Structures are given as structure tokens and as C-alpha cells.
Amino acid sequence: MVSVAAAIESTAAVPAGAAAVLDDPLEYERCTRWVSGPDGQRLAESNLQLAGMYCAACAGTIEHALQTDGGALQASVVAATQRATVRWDPARTRFSELIAAVRTAGYEAVPDAAAPAREMRRREHRTALWRFFVASFCAMQVMMFATPSYVARGDELGADMRQLLNWGSWIVTLPVMWFSAGPFFRGAWTQLRAGRIGMDVPVAVALAVTFVASMGVTFDPGGVFGNEVYFDSLTMFLAFLLGGRYLELRARHRAAEGLEQALARMPETAERRSVEGGWETVSVRRLQPGDEVRVRLGQAFPADGVLIEGRTRVDESLLTGESEPQPRAIGEPVVGASINLGAPVVMRVERVGADTRFEAIVAMMRDAMSQRPATARVADRWAGVFLWGVLALAGLGALAWSFIDPSRAVWVAVAVLIATCPCAFSLAAPAALVAAAGGLARRGVVFQRLEAIESLAGATEVFFDKTGTLTEDRLTLREVRLLPGADLDADAARERAASLAQWSGHPLSRALAAADRPTAPEVAPPTGESAGTGASGRAPAPSWRELQEQAGAGLAGTDRAGCRWRLGNWGWVGGQGEPPQPDARVWLSRDGQVIAGFVIEEALREGASAAIAELRSMGLKLTLLSGDDPARADAMARRLGMDESLGGASPEDKLARVAAAQQAGGKVAMIGDGVNDAPVLARADVSLAMGQGALVARTQADAVIASNRPGDLVQARRVATRTMRIVRQNMAWAALYNAAWVPLALVGWLPPLAAGLGMAASSLLVITNALRAGR
């Protein structure tokens, strides 16, 4: 079968045979998800990898081509990552027509799948490197020809020799203009033909004016173009510019390779149990829920499911950021794309394709990299206005100098055009945000919207759901409180309560039993099993008889000495009046005398307390939202050191609380995990969901904490704050550069060579600074 890479190899319109391959649903569905249109129709939303883009204006050109020539309903193109998200109706157009529309506009596109995208990046990298090499090599030769003109004094350099050197410079400049400068001229022509203006336009104008004027001097010395040639400035400027763009291209390719590495974790085939009981190798796209799959040692799990044979350890570092392999036994879940490190096992498939947790994370990464942030859109809009001002300013400068010193008019116009090229402005925001999103994804925080990074940096209040977000779905013993007159110490009371609690399946009893056996499973022993050995191993526990359990009250039993012990609520154990410790949920008594109370609460997620403390140190207001009992919610908030709590809250109550904070001027971040959190996640200025939370919560959230570690929220806030600081630094540098160099160019103090060096250095500084956001 013809590969997708071969299908897009030609640079002309898509041939009929290649179109059939591209239009095969099994091929394009790898980069496509299906959504519902406004009238309920089934629409495709496909991701494309692009090539040939050199400025933000190219994005508008491709979007226009996709919507007019390709028949797309919506198109969003991001120059920073060279990706497009296209929504289209298969009943109105075909996938191959979308590819053809992009190529007709003068660019390249392939489905955002690993093999063709990787080949396209390889070709793009090779071409960019060759263009840079040709420009740099020829620039050095031109500088050799130009050096005598700079160092000669008086009549040391004769007119005929000067003319010969100019001819040599012209010949060496020809391959630079034809090959290295080609993308700028094609980009400028495409932009002007589409009625748009981008950064290629002033660059192309500067190159053309410089070359024509210098060629005029070469062919007609002393004529209308004067006596000075600028071949050295032209070639050096182009070498600097191509060098900066090559570094930008490498940064984009690294981001794309990071996503590709994530995609590569999912295997292409799987060993499925056949109806005859043997094993057959099938494509992972043919797996269905309920299939039984064998996963060998070292292989990746092909889907989400549960183990049904064997025990192993799995590497989930790509999905959760957890560096240590995690144990998995029969009945425990495994995640697609995690690596089997322990032993061969058999799993039962539960979720496949786009329903798996891995594919959901990859889809979010794609979405984030296919979005143009608000900051970038503002920069792009002002860059267009700025470009028209640049062209007008260069024209006025040339006109003024044609009266002051006609021989320098071209020199000044070219310097203005080069110095004011707003590459740095358009790169300032998207480069930093894309780098930050990639860095956070490696740490287990995956953003669906790049804008959310900016919102997280500006948040002033953080609202937390309690259960599943700050706490785990299990109870734990926090404290033993002895009453006056108790003749047992705290350890002995805990051991006696744990021994009796083993005979009950109630969650509170299981928490007590687990507290005395921290390494044992949290389950009660089978009925009839002897309880004659202390669970802690430190002292023998009594053998219980005459066991009695009353639902909703507690458990009672008689020990060897004939003492009657009760474990349960205050009234069940014989307490009178109100309990002396309101937060103690379980009490222990012997022969009617209450001995101790046990404070049992939900187990905090590892690192939750430290995360809350760090967020408070950042000056954030922290509020706990919970549907749990108000007293327990308030106790949890006080334990963590949070500012406020709202217990017994319905989804409507949570939504109203967040809306009130927003109306008061706060910028709200919401952290949740459940179905009831989805409305408030959607309402918050920025929202994050736990990776193991409900699907609807993850869908509504701006980012997912795949690691389920609260501490990663702190890291995300730090990265977001640092990223926006980098964006402001980039913007300030770009503005300062233009404010300083434009006047110098207008007064004739800035030669074109220096202008080119400054422009390239400005873009290089912005890109290098932006890459810090991903570290």
C-alpha cells in the first residue's frame, strides 16, 4: 500500500492515486477526532503538520486557503509550532483537498502522524541548513571582494579593479538571491496576492532594492544609482536572518519531536487471544473492549484495562511523571503506553483509541500546540499595522535623503526596512508559551489551552475540591485521644481497637485495622479466623467471642478475661451527653467505661500540605469547596492552613462561590476531579483536573495534572509566572530594539550590515530567552 509520506511527496497538487490514500478513513483518523456540528452533523477535526512558514502572517494565508479552496468550516494555524487544526465536513470536502489547498498556497502539509511529519521535518531541516550555508559561504566571499574598497586609501584601488571586484561580488550574490532568499520572495508574493502583509514583505523589499541598486552601480558606475554597492550588507544580512530562523526551526522541531516521542510509546500491534484460545497479532486499532491481550516483558500496554493474569511492575513516567515503576497485580488497572517491566502478563481491554488516558493526554498536547495565545494574537495584529508603518517610514526616509544626499537614499531605506522587521515581536509570546507547555507536559501537567498558562500566572484565588483532589478515596487514623482515667496508653488502645475492628467491614473499622497494620491490605480477615495475634506484632491481641455488630452504631466483643468491649459511636460505647472530643468519630469502651476516641479522616494526598503552604507563600487566597459535611470540610481546611471553606456544597453552590469571587475582581483557578466539578471548572478563569478524575472534569479543564500530585500545581504556577515574565522581557526587548535602531537608521548612522546583525541578534535573543520557559 502507498504510504502517507509517498502520498505527499510531490510538490504539485495531490495526484489521484495519492488522494485515495489520504482519503482512506483508516489513514486520516489517526490525526482526526469527530465532533458534533451545530445541527448535529458529524464533523471531522484534523491536525496537520505544516512546513514553509516563516512569519505569523503565513498562518492567516493558510487559514484562508483551507477555508476557501479546501472547503474547511474552520481552520486555526499557529506559526510558532507550524501546526493546523481544521474542522471539515466529509460530506462537503475530502481530506486530500485540504492538503491540496495548503500546497496550492505555497506551503506543505501532511497529517500530523509520526512518519510523514518526521520526513517532512528532515527535508525542511536539510533545506534550511543548505540555505544558511550558501548565504554564509557566499557572504564571506563577498566580504573578501569588498575589503579592498574599505581599506584602500586615495587612489590605491583603481577604478577598473574596483569594477572587477564589484562584478565578482555580483556573481557570488546571484546564488544567494536565487536559492537562499527564495522563501522570502515567495512568502512576500503569497502574502500580497492574498491581500495580507507579513514580515516577508519588508525583508523582500529590502533585499530587492539593495540588489537592484547594487547591480545598477555594477553595470553603470556613476549612474542613477551612484557609486556604492551593498552586496556585502545584503549577503551578511541574509546569513544572519537565516541563522536566526534556523535556530527557531530547531526549537520547533524539538517540540514536535517531544510530542512524537509520546506517540511512539503506543505500540502498533498487539497479541490478542483468538476465539480458539490461541494468540493472534492484530493492529491496535482493531482492539475492542473485552479483548484479552498478552503483553510481553519490555512491551508497552496497547490500551487501558485490567490485569487478569500475572503480576508485574509498570513504568508510567511518561503519563504521570512518576519516576519509580509501580506494582500491578491481578484486578488492578494498567494504562495504555505504560511499559511492562516485571513479567509477561495478560490484560483485559477496557478502553481503546481516543478513550484511553494516553490518547487523551496526547490530544490535549496537540490542542495546546495548535492554539494561538491571546498575547500572540495581539502581537500579530499590531505587527501587521507596524509593517505598513515600516514601509511608509522607509519610503519617507529615502525621499528625505534623496534631497540631502542622493547616494545614501537607498542605504537609509534598506537600513530602516531591515532594522524594523518585527520578527521578535511575533515570536515573543508563542515561543515562550510553547516551550513552557512542553516543559510542564514532561513533568506531568498537560495544558489543553496555551492561554491558560497566562491565566494561571495571573490567578489571585485558588479553589480546591476536597475528595479526590487534596485527599485520597480512603480513610486514615490521624490521632488517638485518651479520656481521663484511662488505664491504657494510646498504643495499647489503638491495638485493642484495631483487633476488634478487623471483624467489621465498615470503612471506619478498616481505617482502624489498617492503622495497626500499615503494610497489610485494608481488608477484614475472613469470618471465623482467629484474632489471637496482635495485628501490630508488638503484643498479643485477645481472642474475641460473642461478637455483635449493629449497623450504624458499632461493634462489640468479649475478651478472654470476660471484659465487654465496644467500638463505635459515642452513644454505642456508653457515653453520656455530648462527646468531649467532637472531631473523634470512633470511640472505645470497656465494661461501659469510655477509654479513648479516634480521630479518623480522609487520607491526604502525598505532598498536599506542602503544596498548600507554598501556594499561600505566593500570596494566593485558598478556599476549600466540598460536598462533605461542613464541619469536616472546615476541619480539613484548618488542618491544611487554607483561608476559607465551604462544606455541604452542591455544584450550584460551588458555581455561585466562584462567580462571586470573579465579580469581586479576583482571577480564579479551580482544581477538581469529579463530575460535580465540571460546571465550576468551566466557569473558572483557569482550571486543572486530576488525571484520574472523571472524564467530563478532564474535558472541561484547561489542564490535567496527570501525575495526580498536588505539588505539581505549585510547579505549574512557578513555570507560568516565569513564562509570563519571559514574555514581558521579550516584548520589552523587541520594543527597545526598534525604538533605538529606527532613529539611527533614519539619520544615516546605521549601515544595512549593522541593521541586519541587530535584527538577527534580536530574534535570536528572543528565541533563546523563550526556551528558558521549558526548563
Side-chain angles (χ1 to χ4, degrees):
M1 183 175 178
V2 181
S3 69
V4 178
I8 50 85
E9 185 66 31
S10 171
T11 57
V14 180
V21 175
L22 290 170
D23 292 332
D24 183 352
L26 195 60
E27 290 293 339
Y28 68 70
E29 73 180 6
R30 290 183 298 166
C31 64
T32 300
R33 64 181 179 183
W34 298 94
V35 297
S36 297
D39 299 325
Q41 70 271 38
R42 192 167 182 252
L43 302 178
E45 193 170 271
S46 301
N47 296 283
L48 302 179
Q49 175 75 56
L50 306 173
M53 298 178 64
Y54 295 100
C55 72
C58 298
T61 302
I62 296 176
E63 289 173 354
H64 183 264
L66 285 168
Q67 292 175 326
T68 55
D69 300 332
L73 301 176
Q74 295 177 11
S76 173
V77 177
V78 181
T81 57
Q82 294 211 5
R83 279 184 169 80
T85 299
V86 186
R87 181 169 293 188
W88 54 288
D89 186 353
R92 295 177 50 189
T93 189
R94 296 178 300 168
F95 188 74
S96 60
E97 293 178 2
L98 301 175
I99 300 293
V102 175
R103 295 170 63 176
T104 302
Y107 305 91
E108 188 59 273
V110 296
D112 189 7
R118 184 164 53 247
E119 174 61 21
M120 185 175 65
R121 285 200 308 272
R122 186 192 65 81
R123 293 198 307 268
E124 186 180 24
H125 175 265
R126 183 179 180 183
T127 301
L129 193 59
W130 268 108
R131 293 189 196 280
F132 174 56
F133 170 76
V134 169
S136 301
F137 181 79
C138 291
M140 289 188 289
Q141 308 310 309
V142 172
M143 286 300 298
M144 292 175 61
F145 290 133
T147 299
S149 300
Y150 290 119
V151 300
R153 299 180 181 179
D155 297 331
E156 289 181 355
L157 186 63
D160 55 344
M161 183 58 67
R162 184 185 299 273
Q163 183 69 4
L164 180 61
L165 293 174
N166 288 346
W167 274 97
S169 298
W170 175 73
I171 292 173
V172 176
T173 303
L174 287 177
V176 177
M177 294 295 291
W178 172 73
F179 178 66
S180 298
F184 299 102
F185 289 109
R186 285 194 296 271
W189 171 247
T190 301
Q191 292 161 11
L192 293 175
R193 189 176 58 181
R196 301 172 182 272
I197 184 171
M199 282 171 285
D200 285 342
V201 173
V203 172
V205 170
L207 293 174
V209 169
T210 305
F211 183 75
V212 169
S214 300
M215 188 170 62
V217 172
T218 302
F219 282 86
D220 183 20
V224 66
F225 293 105
N227 296 297
E228 297 293 332
V229 296
Y230 305 105
F231 292 122
D232 54 341
S233 298
L234 184 153
T235 52
M236 289 299 291
F237 159 66
L238 196 56
F240 292 146
L241 181 58
L242 289 173
R245 291 198 170 184
Y246 174 74
L247 293 176
E248 177 194 350
L249 178 141
R250 289 297 301 148
R252 288 200 311 267
H253 283 187
R254 281 196 295 271
E257 288 163 4
L259 178 58
E260 217 168 76
Q261 289 172 3
L263 288 168
R265 291 291 292 267
M266 188 66 81
E268 293 291 331
T269 60
E271 291 184 81
R272 182 177 64 185
R273 196 191 300 271
S274 64
V275 292
E276 294 83 10
W279 298 99
E280 58 180 350
T281 301
V282 298
S283 168
V284 294
R285 289 188 286 276
R286 300 298 182 188
L287 293 178
Q288 299 293 330
D291 286 347
E292 295 182 3
V293 175
R294 181 169 62 187
V295 183
R296 299 179 185 273
L297 180 64
Q299 289 183 340
F301 289 91
D304 291 359
V306 296
L307 290 186
I308 58 175
E309 295 181 20
R311 302 172 65 92
T312 188
R313 298 177 68 84
V314 297
D315 176 9
E316 298 180 348
S317 58
L318 179 71
L319 304 169
T320 67
E322 177 59 58
S323 59
E324 293 293 327
Q326 301 299 301
R328 292 291 184 269
I330 293 176
E332 294 185 332
V334 290
V335 182
S338 59
I339 306 299
N340 180 17
L341 298 180
V345 294
V346 178
M347 65 173 291
R348 182 175 62 250
V349 174
E350 292 188 340
R351 291 181 297 277
V352 297
D355 294 332
T356 63
R357 184 174 168 194
F358 168 78
E359 288 290 348
I361 291 175
V362 170
M364 286 186 288
M365 292 172 65
R366 278 205 187 107
D367 288 345
M369 297 181 72
S370 299
Q371 293 172 2
R372 190 178 304 162
T375 307
R377 290 196 296 267
V378 172
D380 292 345
R381 184 166 60 248
W382 282 104
V385 175
F386 180 73
L387 285 171
W388 284 112
V390 165
L391 294 175
L393 194 61
L396 292 175
L399 180 62
W401 276 93
S402 65
F403 293 103
I404 301 171
D405 184 356
S407 64
R408 302 182 67 186
V410 173
W411 190 82
V412 169
V414 170
V416 172
L417 287 171
I418 294 173
T420 54
C421 184
C423 296
F425 266 122
S426 290
L427 291 171
L433 292 174
V434 167
L440 285 171
R442 290 192 295 271
R443 297 181 177 97
V445 182
V446 184
F447 275 83
Q448 301 188 71
R449 294 191 309 115
L450 288 183
E451 292 180 17
I453 297 176
E454 182 177 356
S455 300
L456 181 59
T460 58
E461 300 184 39
V462 183
F463 288 81
F464 287 89
D465 174 57
K466 179 172 71 71
T467 306
T469 301
L470 293 174
T471 64
E472 299 178 357
D473 57 353
R474 63 183 179 87
L475 298 174
T476 183
L477 174 64
R478 184 165 71 90
E479 188 179 354
V480 179
R481 295 179 179 174
L482 298 175
L483 267 63
D487 57 356
L488 295 177
D489 60 20
D491 286 341
R494 174 175 51 77
E495 290 174 5
R496 192 61 57 96
S499 174
L500 186 57
Q502 289 178 357
W503 296 93
S504 171
H506 192 279
L508 293 174
S509 296
R510 291 203 302 269
L512 274 173
D516 206 45
R517 297 180 305 156
T519 60
E522 293 181 21
V523 295
T527 303
E529 181 179 325
S530 173
T533 302
S536 67
R538 287 186 299 272
S543 296
W544 299 102
R545 55 188 176 85
E546 299 178 7
L547 287 168
Q548 174 192 3
E549 184 172 13
Q550 182 170 325
L555 182 71
T558 303
D559 64 12
R560 291 174 180 175
C563 298
R564 188 67 174 170
W565 296 80
R566 286 179 175 257
L567 181 71
N569 61 38
W570 177 250
W572 169 256
V573 299
Q576 303 295 322
E578 294 294 325
Q581 305 287 344
D583 53 347
R585 302 176 65 180
V586 179
W587 297 87
L588 177 69
S589 70
R590 181 182 57 198
D591 293 334
Q593 178 186 2
V594 183
I595 296 175
F598 304 91
V599 179
I600 298 176
E601 56 190 21
E602 292 172 292
L604 284 176
R605 284 193 181 274
E606 183 179 357
S609 297
I612 293 298
E614 293 218 35
L615 291 173
R616 287 202 67 185
S617 70
M618 295 178 184
L620 296 172
K621 180 180 179 181
L622 308 179
T623 301
L624 182 67
L625 301 178
S626 176
D628 204 351
D629 179 74
R632 286 200 291 269
D634 184 64
M636 179 64 70
R638 284 187 281 104
R639 177 184 173 187
L640 291 171
M642 304 179 75
D643 298 290
E644 296 179 2
S645 68
L646 177 65
S650 65
E652 292 78 11
D653 295 331
K654 295 181 180 180
L655 194 61
R657 186 64 172 266
V658 168
Q662 290 173 322
Q663 291 172 0
K667 299 297 182 182
V668 172
M670 174 67 195
I671 321 297
D673 79 316
V675 173
N676 62 339
D677 296 322
V680 71
L681 287 170
R683 175 60 187 265
D685 296 292
V686 58
S687 54
L688 296 94
M690 290 296 179
Q692 293 179 345
L695 176 61
V696 66
R698 300 199 306 267
T699 302
Q700 293 293 338
D702 297 316
V704 171
I705 304 176
S707 62
N708 294 300
R709 293 191 295 261
D712 285 344
L713 172 63
V714 179
Q715 183 66 21
R717 165 75 178 193
R718 288 198 185 109
V719 171
T721 304
R722 184 174 71 247
T723 299
M724 296 316 300
R725 184 166 59 248
I726 290 173
V727 169
R728 289 191 292 271
Q729 291 170 355
N730 286 346
M731 290 287 192
W733 165 253
L736 179 63
Y737 159 77
N738 282 281
W741 284 47
V742 170
L744 295 177
L746 284 173
V747 299
W749 292 352
L750 186 69
L753 178 61
L757 178 60
M759 189 278 298
S762 176
S763 298
L764 178 60
L765 179 64
V766 165
I767 295 170
T768 305
N769 194 38
L771 292 177
R772 293 193 302 116
R775 296 172 185 167

